[in-house]
Amino acid sequence: MISANLSAVFYLISGVLFILALRGLSSPETSRQGNFFGILGMVIAITVTFLSLGNFSSGFIYVLIFLLIGGLIGAFIAYKIPMTAMPELVAGFHSLVGLAAVFVAISAFLNPEAFNLGYPGDIKLGSLIEMSIGAAVGAITFSGSIIAFLKLQGIMSGSPITFKGQHPLNALILISIVVITYLLCSTQSSNLFWILLAISFLIGFLLIIPIGGADMPVVISMLNSYSGWAAAGIGFTLENTALIITGALVGSSGAILSYIMCKGMNRSFFNVILGGFGATEQSSSSVNKEQKPVKSGNAEDAAFLMKNASSVIIVPGYGMAVAQAQHALREMVDTLKKNDIKVSYAIHPVAGRMPGHMNVLLAEANVPYDEVFELEEINNDFANADVAFVIGANDVTNPVAKTDPQSPIFGMPVLDVEKCKSVLFVKRSLSPGYAGIDNDLFYRENTLMLFADAKKMTEDITKNL
Amino acid sequence: MEIDPFIFRLSIFILSIFIGYYVVWSVTPSLHTPLMSVTNAISSVIIVGAIIAGLAGNSEGIFNSSSIFGFLAISLAAINIFGGFLVTQRMLAMYKKKKKDK
């Protein structure tokens, strides 16, 4: 058994290692080392907990068994999961953090002596407040993430679910969470504790159902943030520095990612949270759609254009992930490079279903990361490029965002694809994108539409190069 | 007058938010997905609380209503720890630089 002071020092060390783990992600070269620091920090935290309890009786065996069961499941999932399913996986993991926080809070509520928090029915006030916050945020994270998971997995429809009185109802529930927490702290009633958990689960569910499928990047980041605050709440209860530091890190990380995602869509955070986007605009724009001329081509035309180009910029989007076209795309690029054509990739902040999703998919397809550029880095290059190859992206290339103040996406940062000499647009049909608005780019003089499945079209182009 | 230890923990918390703010802004956007999976893994350090809860049931048997939640939380957090770190490692291994031989 080691002293409380010594174990606190070790918890601090593991907190510092977690900071270094995130710091490592500032560049791909240092990132692997960062991940190692993270693992080290976790090993230290767990070992110190065992040593400080000094309890190696039969209970210890059970701890190891449960740890092993979870570990095996986690390792199995980590090796099996396809990279296209990362958003679902992360949403699923968030729900587990949330549920674990709830379970630890329940356990601490039922047996406060084990945590030095007082006695059942007489828990220290500060601890009870911290515990309630941790449990409530954990429960919201859990049920919210489950809904996000179901939507991403396609089990639940991605379209927003809205009903009358939704916002007043949510507001009412949020207020009642505060009231119940107050009552719980003054009466120590266990019934109130269970009610608090139940309505927190409910509000997590209600908060996420009105948010549409393509707003998922914001939702996932937001839930990431919540899982951090839940961990921090429990960290205060347990008086554990490692948990407090980690909770703060994760909480602010998720908040920053949400901010970046909202900015990428030029929408306020509240606009996303209140939900219902994309459901109403659809009808108005499809009514007055006159038949405009569209130039469409086939794989041979596309191959001809690219063969005569000296630089090509590729704009991938979520559609590429759906069609699993990333490997075919890289083969096409390899052929282009053999013909001395300069190729780079342009990634919009909200491409894909979670922050950085496209980068992972391209990395998986062996695309070197120094050929992949963010919007600000590459946007000026479109004017000098010969061909822009848009595959599976739509709204993020729509020039309307720059020109038409009436448009719902006006002001959103977009890739200046139309400035290229010619634009190749791979798409199944002319249907509007997620925002429900027509893409002006389809009807431009320099655009050639390639109507086909993204993967098949890319393969056909490669054959014709 | 003595300062409540809570204030010290609060100080750690607030300062960590600032550290998190600056560290996360320095993360390159291409690594935002690994960032999410690794934050997932490290927030499962909540397993520390789960272990304390699980081992607390010894007085009147290993499993009681409180410790069983601890044991369940151990498994949940372990899924996250192993799954989170391993999937991050798998992703990071894929990020390669352009080959110089061309």
Side-chain angles (χ1 to χ4, degrees):
Chain A
M1 186 144 172
I2 57 176
S3 79
N5 284 333
L6 190 59
S7 51
V9 169
F10 277 112
Y11 285 133
L12 181 64
I13 292 174
S14 75
V16 171
L17 286 167
F18 291 150
I19 295 173
L20 292 176
L22 300 193
R23 179 78 192 117
L25 290 171
S26 58
S27 103
E29 284 111 77
T30 54
S31 61
R32 280 165 279 241
Q33 194 192 19
N35 199 40
F36 172 74
F37 283 141
I39 295 171
L40 189 66
M42 190 61 75
V43 171
I44 291 177
I46 294 176
T47 315
V48 168
T49 309
F50 283 138
L51 291 178
S52 66
L53 288 170
N55 177 347
F56 293 98
S57 59
S58 52
F60 179 70
I61 307 292
Y62 284 99
V63 170
L64 285 187
I65 291 174
F66 278 92
L67 188 78
L68 208 63
I69 294 173
L72 284 174
I73 298 172
F76 180 77
I77 297 172
Y79 280 109
K80 284 282 165 199
I81 193 89
M83 284 301 143
T84 42
M86 272 325 284
E88 292 95 302
L89 179 76
V90 169
F93 278 170
H94 287 157
S95 74
L96 298 183
V97 178
L99 196 60
V102 171
F103 283 175
V104 173
I106 292 177
S107 186
F109 185 78
L110 294 175
N111 187 5
E113 288 127 308
F115 298 87
N116 281 325
L117 305 176
Y119 303 94
D122 184 24
I123 300 172
K124 280 187 273 179
L125 180 65
S127 308
L128 194 56
I129 297 173
E130 292 153 1
M131 198 188 290
S132 312
I133 294 173
V137 180
I140 294 172
T141 311
F142 171 71
S143 56
S145 302
I146 292 286
I147 301 298
F149 175 82
L150 294 177
K151 284 196 173 193
L152 287 164
Q153 189 78 298
I155 298 170
M156 205 172 134
S157 155
S159 55
I161 299 170
T162 48
F163 54 86
K164 238 183 146 196
Q166 193 163 25
H167 299 320
L169 177 70
N170 289 351
L172 192 73
I173 296 179
L174 285 173
I175 293 168
S176 64
I177 287 183
V178 177
V179 174
I180 291 176
T181 309
Y182 175 78
L183 291 175
L184 172 64
C185 292
S186 50
T187 65
Q188 304 256 351
S189 147
S190 60
N191 284 337
L192 285 174
F193 184 72
W194 301 118
I195 294 173
L196 176 70
L197 283 181
I199 58 169
S200 300
F201 280 126
L202 182 68
I203 190 71
F205 170 79
L206 287 172
L207 279 176
I208 307 301
I209 53 167
I211 302 179
D215 277 339
M216 281 305 150
V218 182
V219 172
I220 297 191
S221 320
M222 195 178 80
L223 292 166
N224 186 244
S225 182
Y226 288 179
S227 69
W229 304 130
I234 302 294
F236 274 103
T237 320
L238 305 182
E239 309 183 347
N240 183 305
T241 338
L243 204 41
I244 294 175
I245 295 178
T246 316
L249 290 178
V250 178
S252 52
S253 159
I256 290 173
L257 291 175
S258 317
Y259 170 79
I260 295 175
M261 293 298 109
C262 285
K263 213 166 152 245
M265 296 192 285
N266 188 39
R267 296 175 54 201
S268 78
F269 188 65
F270 285 102
N271 186 302
V272 176
I273 298 303
L274 295 176
F277 188 72
T280 42
E281 281 92 352
Q282 224 138 17
S283 48
S284 59
S285 66
S286 49
V287 177
N288 53 5
K289 196 200 275 177
E290 71 258 50
Q291 214 57 43
K292 283 184 267 185
V294 170
K295 278 198 291 183
S296 84
N298 56 26
E300 276 170 57
D301 305 329
F304 178 78
L305 268 173
M306 283 205 259
K307 231 190 289 182
N308 291 308
S310 62
S311 73
V312 174
I313 298 180
I314 298 189
V315 181
Y318 183 61
M320 179 193 81
V322 174
Q324 299 274 0
Q326 60 270 33
H327 295 277
L329 182 68
R330 212 253 328 171
E331 278 164 34
M332 184 186 93
V333 171
D334 284 349
T335 322
L336 288 174
K337 279 198 220 154
K338 269 182 213 139
N339 294 320
D340 281 329
I341 299 164
K342 187 174 166 280
V343 186
S344 36
Y345 298 80
I347 302 206
H348 192 275
V350 294
R353 284 291 182 268
M354 73 183 289
H357 192 196
M358 283 300 129
N359 303 78
V360 173
L361 293 177
L362 292 176
E364 189 198 13
N366 285 325
V367 173
Y369 64 82
D370 39 6
E371 287 175 11
V372 182
F373 298 94
E374 304 300 317
L375 180 122
E376 310 88 65
E377 297 172 320
I378 202 169
N379 229 6
N380 292 328
D381 297 354
F382 280 107
N384 305 320
D386 297 306
V387 177
F389 186 74
V390 183
I391 175 166
N394 187 356
D395 291 333
V396 297
T397 63
N398 198 339
V400 163
K402 290 176 285 189
T403 54
D404 179 9
Q406 304 301 319
S407 166
I409 62 166
F410 181 72
M412 169 171 132
V414 286
L415 292 158
D416 296 334
V417 173
E418 77 282 357
K419 290 190 180 148
C420 272
K421 290 199 188 72
S422 43
V423 177
L424 296 168
F425 211 115
V426 187
K427 205 168 179 309
R428 290 234 192 84
S429 69
L430 277 180
S431 63
Y434 158 70
I437 49 168
D438 220 13
N439 193 338
D440 206 28
L441 199 60
F442 298 165
Y443 315 105
R444 293 271 170 137
E445 196 52 24
N446 57 347
T447 305
L448 188 67
M449 297 298 294
L450 307 167
F451 293 113
D453 172 71
K455 188 176 178 193
K456 189 159 181 310
M457 176 53 75
T458 321
E459 284 165 352
D460 287 350
I461 294 174
T462 314
K463 277 182 213 141
N464 281 292
L465 276 169
Chain B
M1 221 181 96
E2 216 174 309
I3 299 170
D4 191 312
F6 171 79
I7 301 300
F8 289 118
R9 285 191 287 275
L10 189 67
S11 316
I12 295 172
F13 180 64
I14 303 287
L15 292 176
S16 300
I17 292 178
F18 278 93
I19 294 174
Y21 180 85
Y22 289 107
V23 169
V24 171
W25 271 117
S26 76
V27 171
T28 163
S30 67
L31 291 175
H32 276 166
T33 298
L35 171 68
M36 298 200 93
S37 59
V38 86
T39 49
N40 232 311
I42 63 172
S43 56
S44 301
V45 72
I46 203 161
I47 197 169
V48 166
I51 293 171
I52 300 174
L55 285 180
N58 261 353
S59 46
E60 55 283 13
I62 293 157
F63 294 104
N64 60 29
S65 57
S66 160
S67 72
I68 193 76
F69 280 110
F71 283 118
L72 290 176
I74 290 174
S75 279
L76 294 178
I79 295 178
N80 253 330
I81 293 172
F82 282 75
F85 280 125
L86 288 172
V87 87
T88 308
Q89 196 155 33
R90 209 181 122 198
M91 273 191 276
L92 294 177
M94 297 185 311
Y95 282 81
K96 287 184 199 87
K97 248 192 156 143
K98 206 182 322 196
K99 285 186 205 86
K100 287 276 187 283
D101 53 13
K102 274 178 195 169

